């Protein structure tokens, strides 16, 4: 059966939280009262979580299928139950999913602009301060600081299609009741210009997020065994550190952006009274189009 990841997908459909790392901007700042709308999208790929999911399926699929069919097997022990909950929480904190976004930036002063963005996972506001460079200068350095409120409304990929294996049922039902996450991020942006049309850019990135995941795990065993129900209120702080490389093409008025983010998310928590790590390696490729008006 392909039920483990399908169940997670159904659980988190409408409640997932794919981190939106894309900037779709270089270190250049807008002139006062310039407006810059942008649209784009990306894919969040938590490499560590996908690997752990496959490992769990490899270990438990045959045994749990036998339990569900009543043909033998051993009911999941406490250690396996803990791994199931930890995996579900990990995928809720860092959900593998596509992210679409739209945003608007406004120049407020020379060397300073602000932005507002919506994505399928969050709302975001930020400000960018130019530290080096200016009109007509090739190298720019800027500091970007932002706040992101997650809406938990993106959908998971059908991960079982990518793992290409049947996965036995581990969850009958897993629910998240009013999950929350707030992120603050800081990025040091660097950009240059080649032949007036190419703008390579890069960034060092750090973000800290505060999350709360009230999670209930429920699964049934063949009669006469009673259903198993376990509740966890997982709370903690996520730290993400990474790098980004990108390239913008076109005149300043109309530019196409392509970028790739890579880093590590550290999200310690407690599951079944024991320390747990919900983070892992992450990759986020993104692309978008931006216009500069006025």
């Amino acid at each position: 059966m392909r039920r483990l990841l399908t169940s997670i997908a159904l659980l988190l459909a409408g409640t997932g939280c794919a981190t939106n790392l894309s900037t779709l901007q270089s270190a250049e700042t807008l002139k006062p009262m310039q407006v810059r709308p942008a649209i784009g999208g990306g894919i969040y790929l938590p490499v560590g979580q996908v690997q752990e999911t496959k490992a769990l399926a490899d270990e438990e699929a045959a045994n749990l299928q036998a339990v569900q069919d009543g043909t033998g097997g051993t009911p999941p022990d406490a250690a396996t139950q803990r791994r199931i909950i930890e995996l579900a929480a990990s995928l809720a904190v860092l959900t593998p999913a596509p992210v679409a976004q739209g945003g608007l930036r406004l120049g407020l002063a020379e060397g300073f602009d602000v932005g507002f963005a919506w994505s399928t996972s969050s709302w975001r506001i930020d400000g960018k301060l130019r530290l080096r460079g200016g009109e007509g200068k090739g190298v720019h350095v800027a500091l970007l600081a932002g706040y992101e409120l997650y809406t938990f409304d993106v959908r998971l990929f059908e991960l079982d299609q990518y793992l290409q294996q049947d996965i036995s049922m581990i969850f009958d039902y897993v629910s998240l009741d009013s999950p929350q996450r707030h992120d603050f991020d800081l990025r040091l942006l660097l950009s240059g210009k080649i032949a007036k049309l190419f703008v390579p850019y890069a960034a060092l990135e750090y973000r800290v997020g505060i999350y709360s995941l009230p999670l209930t795990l429920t699964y049934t065993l063949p009669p006469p065994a009673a259903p198993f129900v376990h509740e966890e209120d997982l709370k903690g702080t996520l730290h993400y550190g990474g790098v980004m490389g990108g390239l913008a093409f076109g005149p300043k008025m109309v530019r196409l952006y392509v970028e790739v983010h890579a880093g590590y998310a550290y999200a310690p928590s407690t599951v079944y009274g024991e320390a747990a790590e919900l983070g892992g390696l992450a990759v986020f490729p993104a692309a978008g189009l931006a216009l500069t008006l006025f």
Side-chain angles (χ1 to χ4, degrees):
M1 295 176 64
R2 301 180 183 178
R3 297 294 299 274
L4 166 60
L5 294 177
T6 302
S7 298
I8 298 176
L10 294 175
L11 149 70
L12 296 174
T15 60
C17 183
T19 299
N20 181 23
L21 296 174
S22 64
T23 59
L24 300 182
Q25 58 182 303
S26 67
E28 296 172 308
T29 53
L30 298 176
K31 295 179 180 179
M33 303 313 297
Q34 273 190 325
V35 178
R36 179 185 178 273
I39 58 172
I43 302 175
Y44 188 74
L45 302 172
V47 180
Q49 282 78 359
V50 173
Q51 291 176 340
E52 290 180 21
T53 300
K54 188 177 185 306
L56 182 62
D58 289 341
E59 294 175 16
E60 300 295 335
N63 176 64
L64 292 181
Q65 182 65 67
V67 172
Q68 290 297 121
D69 293 344
T71 59
T74 304
D77 57 17
T80 302
Q81 295 166 13
R82 179 179 180 277
R83 289 184 65 195
I84 294 170
I85 293 174
E86 184 175 348
L87 175 60
S90 181
L91 291 173
V93 171
L94 301 170
T95 305
V99 178
Q101 71 175 66
L104 191 69
R105 299 199 70 78
L106 172 65
L108 290 185
E110 186 63 34
F112 180 71
D113 60 30
V114 296
F116 170 80
W118 165 88
S119 77
T120 47
S121 62
S122 64
W123 297 90
R124 173 184 172 84
I125 57 174
D126 63 43
K128 182 168 62 176
L129 176 66
R130 188 176 65 213
L131 303 178
R132 185 181 187 276
E135 189 66 27
K137 296 184 179 180
V139 178
H140 291 74
V141 180
L143 193 64
L144 179 70
Y147 164 73
E148 204 156 352
L149 172 65
Y150 283 83
T151 54
F152 287 83
D153 63 357
V154 299
R155 295 181 181 274
L156 278 173
F157 280 141
E158 294 286 341
L159 291 182
D160 52 318
Q161 297 178 7
Y162 297 92
L163 295 180
Q164 297 180 349
Q165 68 182 109
D166 288 337
I167 301 172
S168 181
M169 177 185 290
I170 292 180
F171 302 114
D172 276 346
Y173 184 72
V174 184
S175 62
L176 282 168
D177 182 18
S178 301
Q180 298 180 23
R181 179 172 161 190
H182 305 265
D183 276 18
F184 301 87
D185 65 74
L186 191 65
R187 313 183 196 207
L188 182 65
L189 287 164
L190 172 69
S191 64
K193 186 172 290 187
I194 301 174
K196 296 184 178 180
L197 292 179
F198 296 91
V199 181
Y201 61 102
L204 295 175
E205 305 177 318
Y206 171 74
R207 70 169 53 206
V208 57
I210 302 171
Y211 64 87
S212 174
L213 301 172
L215 182 148
T216 301
L217 167 65
T218 304
Y219 67 86
T220 59
L221 296 173
F228 172 83
V229 179
H230 183 81
E231 296 181 352
E232 293 272 357
D233 188 4
L234 305 181
K235 297 180 179 179
T237 302
L238 175 145
H239 297 271
Y240 171 86
V243 296
M244 177 271 289
L247 179 66
F249 171 76
K252 191 172 183 180
M253 299 296 292
V254 182
R255 280 184 181 165
L256 175 66
Y257 290 80
V258 178
E259 61 190 41
V260 177
H261 304 250
Y264 187 87
Y266 175 63
S269 188
T270 301
V271 177
Y272 264 57
E274 298 182 19
E277 171 52 51
L278 307 182
L281 296 174
V283 178
F284 188 94
L289 180 69
L291 309 177
T292 301
L293 307 179
F294 310 115

